[in-house]
Amino acid sequence: MSQAPVDSKKKTAETTEDLSKKTDEISSTKNNSVQVAISPDELLSPYPYSPADNLEGYTSHLPWKSRIVGGWIRNALQWKNILKTVAESPQLFGPFSCAAQFQQWLVEQRLTNQIYLHAKRATRAGSTPDTYAEHDENIENAYGDMLYDLCTLCMTQSELKTDTSGSKTDISGTDSVSGAGAVISKTDTATGTVLKTDNNLKESGSSGSFKPVSTFDRKKTQKLSSSPEGIAVLKKYMHDFLQLEWQYNSLGLTRLKAMKELLLSLLVVITEKPIEKRDMPFPLKQKRDKPAPLFSDYLKTSRTRLENLYNHRAFNIKFFSEIATGCKIGYSKYEVVEGSRIHTVTLRHYFLPEGVVSNGKILYMVSPLINKAEIFDLAKGKSVVQGMLEAGYTIYLEAPGDPGVEDTDLGLDFYGKVVHDKYIEIIKKLHPDQEIYVMGYCMGGTIFMPYIARRAQERLSRGETMDIKKVALMATPVKFDDDTSGHGPMRKVITDDYDERLMHEMYGEVNVPPQIISVGMNEIQHGVQYNVAAGFYNRASFPGAIEDAAPFLYWLTHGTRFGSLAHRQWIRNIFMENQIYNQQYCLPSSEPHLDGKPVNMDILKEAGVQIFDYRGERDPISPTGSCVSSEIWGMIKDENLSHTRGGLNRTIEKNIGHIFVVSTVLLSEYLDIVKKFYDGRM
């Protein structure tokens, strides 16, 4: 099943350097005859179909090879387990047990043990156990490299520098650069068109120096699209692009489809001719009371988009996110509280900004068990932590980390009881007389709700008042059924494709890799891979948009492992059996009469706990019908608060689901409401 990695440099007949020299030679060739540029349709005509085009009209990502092989693997493992059962029951099956024992050994040695070994090795290495998905990622890497190489043949490089007065000047003598604006402008000497590129390309070296900025050279593109030699180069590239597309193992709305659309827009820029036999990629929208955009407007925007992507090496979003962030995200400064580390879980204490006075309130933030805790603190202006710090809150954040092989047997009682007991005890010792508020995001809030109910049971049974009385939940599901919760589609995916015993056998020793978690998420977020990539490319024509997206893209493409036991308990106890909502969810307790017993969620009302739910109408991960804590528990009639935001996930990167914090507008709205909730002003 293994496929050889793709090397884009070997796929092209000549290196980029050779082709650049050839393009320069073409540009210097004196030819007085009028040459007609080839059109994008002519370049595409030999290739009427490609898996990257989605001519089938699928509305989601369809990894068809992975699904077929995954089904075979499940069948093989189930057959092995049947053979094992027969082999271990000679009193029932007689001589057939001996035959089953031999077949079991054969299946294990030749098939299932190899599958287990591959899955564990890949997980330990941080890669996907799915060979086809890994090959698709290699294809995307190669495709991005070839897009970069083809752009190189069309670009001219200019050196930009900041002079002593602070204004930006072009030392090549052909650029005009705005003073304090957010855009560096370069004038195309052939057309007089002002081409724009982001100004955030400052080098880490000397102050005031800038990296070289490349822009399209129309002389090069005209020769490339008009001369016989140039057309031959373009046709060779198109052939090699198609070879990569045919090696792709997925159909539908894939990331490669978004990259193919980027290629089509590049062909339009090179040939300066529209595509007539298929839809134009990244079309310009007509503004209200404005004339329809002209083709010249489309060319100008497309040039800017491709130049920005080229100068940032951002054709492949995962590679770009790693380079742009240095594999590190998070804006606010913090320290790990001494003595707080339990396995991979830590308690962070964030520092108040200079000049901000504490308001005397403690905020304990609870993170999900998957993905990085930096979802609370992505970047400046996109940070819940930053917003609450500026309001004077003293912030502690529970960060689960990335569980290792020694953490495979840690269950939800550890993450949802032991950790919170220890961290709240630490906080109360450090701040004995200050009020503690809680903020939970997604599944972090889900497993915190039974915890706070159990805490209320324990304190009230000892005659103590409840010490935490306000909980804000961000897109936190607590109800899981096939009816009103909205989780029916995901539950169907689990019923059809999930095998708990198989997951334990494959990942029980190494934890569940994030790539496997993403497979399920992609099933309910139709077209997420395409939408994120296409949206990023589309916005690349705007100044600053590329850098702005880098922290989120890194967070999105670099998840964390899900502890093996905790994952199985999450799927079985919470998602499929709906134990929290049905009040059948059990937790340990320091009180013997409560230890191991179901949590009484109704105690939250008696304890006076107020709950705030913030949810989105178009959130497939945490549907509004599932985010109902504030409607069923705590101070339901008078003090609780529910806020449903229409289109919560429709701004900027919101196509991926319920990550509204990447929008400064939605984040500001949330911060304003949650602070009023904590202050009792609502």
Side-chain angles (χ1 to χ4, degrees):
M1 294 187 295
S2 178
Q3 302 183 40
V6 179
D7 189 340
S8 64
K9 304 301 182 182
K10 295 180 181 178
K11 288 299 294 178
T12 52
E14 299 152 302
T15 64
T16 301
E17 182 178 357
D18 293 336
L19 290 173
S20 297
K21 292 179 180 178
K22 180 176 288 188
T23 304
D24 291 337
E25 292 171 1
I26 293 170
S27 300
S28 63
T29 301
K30 294 182 179 180
N31 189 345
N32 296 325
S33 61
V34 178
Q35 296 173 321
V36 179
I38 193 171
S39 69
D41 291 310
E42 290 174 305
L43 289 169
L44 295 167
S45 62
Y47 317 109
Y49 173 80
S50 160
D53 293 329
N54 191 27
L55 298 180
E56 300 85 357
Y58 294 119
T59 59
S60 63
H61 173 231
L62 183 63
W64 64 278
K65 289 185 181 180
S66 296
R67 287 188 179 181
I68 291 174
V69 174
W72 291 345
I73 291 174
R74 283 195 300 273
N75 291 338
L77 295 177
Q78 289 168 0
W79 175 239
K80 187 234 6 176
N81 290 330
I82 291 173
L83 292 172
K84 182 179 180 181
T85 300
V86 174
E88 293 175 349
S89 306
Q91 68 277 14
L92 294 177
F93 299 101
F96 293 106
S97 293
C98 294
Q101 187 175 21
F102 173 73
Q103 289 187 46
Q104 176 195 347
W105 175 85
L106 193 63
V107 171
E108 287 177 342
Q109 295 301 313
R110 297 295 184 181
L111 184 59
T112 58
N113 286 352
Q114 302 304 314
I115 294 172
Y116 295 155
L117 181 62
H118 171 75
K120 294 171 184 177
R121 184 170 58 240
T123 302
R124 290 187 179 105
S127 59
T128 175
D130 184 342
T131 303
Y132 291 111
E134 182 180 30
H135 187 71
D136 282 354
E137 186 172 332
N138 291 337
I139 294 291
E140 293 162 7
N141 293 339
Y143 210 92
D145 289 343
M146 287 181 59
L147 283 170
Y148 184 87
D149 291 347
L150 184 53
C151 283
T152 299
L153 303 183
C154 310
M155 298 281 188
T156 294
Q157 196 175 87
S158 299
E159 294 288 341
L160 296 176
K161 187 176 181 180
T162 302
D163 62 24
T164 54
S165 65
S167 62
K168 302 179 184 66
T169 57
D170 168 39
I171 63 174
S172 69
T174 59
D175 295 337
S176 61
V177 185
S178 58
V183 179
I184 299 173
S185 302
K186 176 178 174 64
T187 303
D188 188 318
T189 55
T191 65
T193 303
V194 176
L195 307 173
K196 297 179 180 179
T197 184
D198 294 347
N199 73 338
N200 295 317
L201 300 173
K202 193 170 184 178
E203 287 185 318
S204 59
S206 59
S207 176
S209 63
F210 281 74
K211 288 183 178 180
V213 174
S214 296
T215 54
F216 276 100
D217 186 327
R218 286 195 67 203
K219 291 181 180 179
K220 288 186 176 182
T221 58
Q222 287 173 351
K223 288 296 183 179
L224 192 60
S225 62
S226 301
S227 68
E229 297 90 341
I231 292 173
V233 169
L234 288 177
K235 288 183 176 180
K236 177 58 179 172
Y237 262 92
M238 290 306 300
H239 173 270
D240 291 347
F241 275 118
L242 188 76
Q243 295 305 306
L244 290 178
E245 293 169 20
W246 272 105
Q247 293 182 54
Y248 207 61
N249 299 304
S250 301
L251 298 172
L253 296 180
T254 63
R255 189 173 295 166
L256 188 65
K257 174 175 168 55
M259 301 180 82
K260 175 67 175 286
E261 292 175 358
L262 206 57
L263 170 62
L264 298 182
S265 70
L266 176 57
L267 296 180
V268 172
V269 169
I270 292 173
T271 62
E272 297 189 8
K273 292 183 178 182
I275 298 174
E276 298 179 350
K277 296 183 179 180
R278 61 175 74 191
D279 294 336
M280 290 277 281
F282 311 111
L284 298 180
K285 294 182 180 180
Q286 183 174 358
K287 297 181 180 179
R288 181 179 298 180
D289 301 326
K290 297 289 184 179
L294 301 175
F295 181 61
S296 58
D297 298 322
Y298 180 88
L299 283 177
K300 180 179 177 180
T301 301
S302 297
R303 288 192 188 107
T304 301
R305 174 184 298 111
L306 291 163
E307 287 168 357
N308 289 342
L309 290 169
Y310 179 86
N311 286 312
H312 288 85
R313 293 296 300 250
F315 293 108
N316 184 295
I317 62 174
K318 183 177 180 181
F319 173 76
F320 158 70
S321 73
E322 293 170 348
I323 298 301
T325 63
C327 296
K328 184 178 181 180
I329 55 176
Y331 171 70
S332 306
K333 295 181 179 179
Y334 68 87
E335 64 179 354
V336 174
V337 177
E338 184 178 356
S340 70
R341 182 175 295 276
I342 322 176
H343 292 272
T344 61
V345 190
T346 57
L347 181 66
R348 301 177 183 177
H349 170 231
Y350 286 85
F351 302 116
L352 284 173
E354 186 177 352
V356 175
V357 178
S358 172
N359 64 9
K361 298 175 182 178
I362 309 300
L363 180 58
Y364 177 50
M365 307 181 83
V366 184
S367 305
L369 300 186
I370 55 175
N371 296 117
K372 300 181 184 300
E374 278 75 16
I375 187 60
F376 278 118
D377 188 43
L378 274 178
K380 183 178 181 180
K382 295 185 177 183
S383 168
V384 179
V385 170
Q386 177 193 3
M388 299 305 287
L389 284 174
E390 291 175 351
Y393 286 83
T394 299
I395 294 180
Y396 291 88
L397 183 144
E398 171 252 353
D402 196 5
V405 294
E406 68 278 11
D407 307 314
T408 56
D409 293 330
L410 298 177
L412 293 182
D413 55 347
F414 168 78
Y415 291 103
K417 185 67 167 68
V418 175
V419 169
H420 297 318
D421 273 342
K422 182 176 180 64
Y423 287 174
I424 291 175
E425 179 184 358
I426 290 175
I427 294 171
K428 289 174 72 70
K429 285 183 178 179
L430 293 172
H431 308 275
D433 299 321
Q434 291 179 261
E435 194 171 3
I436 300 176
Y437 300 140
V438 174
M439 183 181 294
Y441 170 64
C442 193
M443 70 180 303
T446 302
I447 63 176
F448 186 82
M449 289 308 297
Y451 167 77
I452 194 173
R454 175 49 51 90
R455 186 178 185 86
Q457 287 181 290
E458 292 170 343
R459 292 186 67 86
L460 295 186
S461 71
R462 294 193 297 262
E464 301 171 354
T465 59
M466 187 58 182
D467 54 350
I468 299 175
K469 291 195 173 183
K470 288 191 177 182
V471 180
L473 302 173
M474 304 162 60
T476 295
V478 294
K479 180 181 179 182
F480 302 85
D481 62 17
D482 295 325
D483 191 13
T484 59
S485 72
H487 281 298
M490 188 68 232
R491 285 165 59 89
K492 185 178 187 305
V493 169
I494 294 172
T495 300
D496 293 344
D497 300 329
Y498 179 79
D499 187 315
E500 181 175 324
R501 186 172 180 178
L502 183 154
M503 293 294 291
H504 178 55
E505 291 180 347
M506 293 185 69
Y507 304 111
E509 299 176 8
V510 293
N511 299 310
V512 182
Q515 297 89 346
I516 297 299
I517 303 298
S518 296
V519 171
M521 294 298 185
N522 291 341
E523 291 294 327
I524 60 171
Q525 299 179 96
H526 292 173
V528 59
Q529 293 198 19
Y530 167 80
N531 289 329
V532 169
F536 172 69
Y537 295 147
N538 193 35
R539 293 186 298 277
S541 59
F542 296 101
I546 292 180
E547 300 95 326
D548 187 61
F552 167 72
L553 292 177
Y554 184 83
W555 179 87
L556 181 66
T557 55
H558 296 77
T560 59
R561 290 181 288 257
F562 199 156
S564 296
L565 178 58
H567 175 261
R568 297 196 300 275
Q569 292 176 340
W570 169 263
I571 295 295
R572 180 180 65 250
N573 299 347
I574 296 179
F575 221 102
M576 298 307 293
E577 297 181 4
N578 199 17
Q579 289 183 3
I580 296 177
Y581 183 80
N582 293 329
Q583 305 205 40
Q584 299 170 344
Y585 187 76
C586 298
L587 281 177
S589 175
S590 57
E591 301 296 324
H593 69 284
L594 296 173
D595 188 33
K597 300 295 193 298
V599 177
N600 175 18
M601 301 300 296
D602 295 332
I603 196 72
L604 292 174
K605 182 175 182 179
E606 183 181 346
V609 176
Q610 300 173 34
I611 304 169
F612 168 38
D613 265 318
Y614 194 80
R615 57 201 179 192
E617 287 181 347
R618 296 173 183 162
D619 185 344
I621 297 177
S622 301
T624 56
S626 179
C627 303
V628 294
S629 293
S630 60
E631 297 177 7
I632 57 177
W633 302 317
M635 307 299 289
I636 302 171
K637 292 184 179 180
D638 302 319
E639 305 295 340
N640 283 7
L641 176 65
S642 299
H643 186 87
T644 304
R645 181 61 156 86
L648 187 63
N649 64 332
R650 307 306 290 178
T651 304
I652 312 179
E653 291 92 354
K654 265 8 121 294
N655 283 318
I656 60 94
H658 64 174
I659 317 299
F660 66 87
V661 295
V662 295
S663 164
T664 54
V665 174
L666 295 180
L667 176 58
S668 176
E669 177 189 84
Y670 167 75
L671 291 173
D672 181 61
I673 297 174
V674 77
K675 283 184 283 190
K676 289 179 180 178
F677 169 71
Y678 286 147
D679 292 343
R681 293 183 284 127
M682 301 197 69

